[in-house]
Amino acid sequence: MSVIQVNGIDLYYKIQGSGENESLLLIAGFDSDSSTWAAMMRSLVQQYQVIRFDNRGIGQSSAPDSPYSIKQMAADAVALLDYLNISQVHVAGHSMGGQIAQELALAHPEKIQSLILFSSWAKGDGKFNSLIELFGDLTQKLEGALYQRVLLPWLFTDAFYSTPGIMEQLINWIEDYPFPPTPHGLYHQSRAILGSDTSDRLADIHGPTLVMVGKDDIVTPIRFSEQLAQGIPNAELVILEQGGHAFVVESADTVAKVMLDFLEKHKQGT
């Protein structure tokens, strides 16, 4: 297990792939740790040194019972890159991880070789904020496994649900997972989401950027990604025809292919 102490917490991370390749940092979203990317790893590690980590409040990283911010979690990611002596990196963030990736790019543009924002947003609207507030409040009301099951219909499509046996497998995995989140960790993550807004700073993100969303995403609808793509200079928008909010799990192979095609265009020397 690889853990470093940064910004007053223990931060868990994992590196796979050849160190001779360019580096790719993956940042997970709310209620998600580094295992979120597992289905994509086989494709990614063939071409990149892939760095995954658990945000504060989740997985094997510390979950202090005090307020978090998206900028703070971006600072955690930067501290990890500095510890690993990585001066430039491709960065991909999913959902809340996309918020973190935006703040990382804004604070340290010199470190960002390219940016990928999955199912993310600049500023939530009233409905979205109400939903995230509810997700945070429910952590105090529901037992852990039941809480996770309540979230699942928001994350996956009808097609995924209709695949024989898939939801049973997913629920069993959740119930057996050895590093379940703490209620207070999730609560503080939810409030960090609500406190973040990059809408008036998107024009300051100048690196190559891919914005991607699933057509059936009911948590972060297409208009959120359209706002990102319109606000970030020269950003590329891809709408996946089949995919919900958790399309990095549900449609992992398709997402990985789009991701790798984008990254190939922005390797050093190309």
Side-chain angles (χ1 to χ4, degrees):
M1 184 175 73
S2 298
V3 175
I4 61 169
Q5 291 186 333
V6 298
N7 303 327
I9 66 166
D10 291 337
L11 192 76
Y12 169 83
Y13 72 95
K14 186 174 185 178
I15 299 178
Q16 293 172 271
S18 172
E20 298 178 357
N21 293 330
E22 294 182 7
S23 296
L24 170 63
L25 180 70
L26 304 178
I27 310 178
F30 171 74
D31 190 28
S32 302
D33 62 22
S34 52
S35 64
T36 297
W37 308 97
M40 301 173 63
M41 290 303 296
R42 184 167 58 180
S43 299
L44 300 180
V45 297
Q46 294 178 23
Q47 300 184 44
Y48 294 90
Q49 176 183 247
V50 183
I51 305 154
R52 294 183 281 168
F53 70 100
D54 294 346
N55 290 309
R56 63 173 60 217
I58 201 76
Q60 298 179 71
S61 290
S62 300
D65 193 0
S66 56
Y68 309 164
S69 72
I70 297 299
K71 288 183 179 180
Q72 183 183 40
M73 288 190 271
D76 294 340
V78 171
L80 174 60
L81 294 176
D82 289 344
Y83 172 80
L84 297 173
N85 293 316
I86 295 174
S87 59
Q88 271 212 322
V89 65
H90 301 280
V91 177
H94 175 250
S95 193
M96 182 188 76
Q99 288 186 291
I100 298 169
Q102 291 172 63
E103 292 291 359
L104 199 165
L106 287 163
H108 296 278
E110 75 284 356
K111 293 183 179 293
I112 308 301
Q113 195 166 336
S114 70
L115 184 66
I116 302 175
L117 305 175
F118 292 129
S119 309
S120 198
W121 62 94
K123 179 182 181 180
D125 59 15
K127 178 181 178 181
F128 173 82
N129 290 341
S130 178
L131 182 63
I132 297 302
E133 184 177 7
L134 177 63
F135 285 169
D137 290 344
L138 285 178
T139 63
Q140 315 298 313
K141 307 293 184 181
L142 300 177
E143 176 273 329
L146 178 59
Y147 176 84
Q148 301 300 328
R149 293 180 67 172
V150 167
L151 262 58
L152 292 178
W154 292 94
L155 305 180
F156 296 101
T157 64
D158 295 347
F160 191 76
Y161 263 81
S162 65
T163 304
I166 192 70
M167 292 310 298
E168 289 81 358
Q169 292 178 30
L170 185 54
I171 290 170
N172 288 337
W173 181 86
I174 290 171
E175 291 177 343
D176 294 338
Y177 192 58
F179 308 107
T182 61
H184 68 262
L186 295 182
Y187 176 84
H188 293 308
Q189 283 195 352
S190 75
R191 269 45 189 181
I193 291 172
L194 293 174
S196 178
D197 179 2
T198 59
S199 58
D200 62 351
R201 294 177 288 148
L202 294 178
D204 295 328
I205 298 175
H206 296 293
T209 302
L210 170 66
V211 179
M212 189 172 177
V213 65
K215 185 177 180 181
D216 297 319
D217 191 331
I218 59 175
V219 177
T220 53
I222 291 172
R223 65 179 182 276
F224 286 4
S225 287
E226 290 174 338
Q227 180 188 15
L228 286 173
Q230 290 166 6
I232 299 172
N234 302 312
E236 175 184 347
L237 175 63
V238 173
I239 300 172
L240 194 67
E241 283 298 312
Q242 294 183 333
H245 189 66
F247 66 176
V248 295
V249 175
E250 179 176 345
S251 306
D253 290 342
T254 302
V255 173
K257 183 181 186 307
V258 175
M259 183 178 184
L260 288 170
D261 288 346
F262 171 79
L263 290 171
E264 181 65 28
K265 294 187 294 185
H266 300 291
K267 283 186 173 181
Q268 291 180 356
T270 62

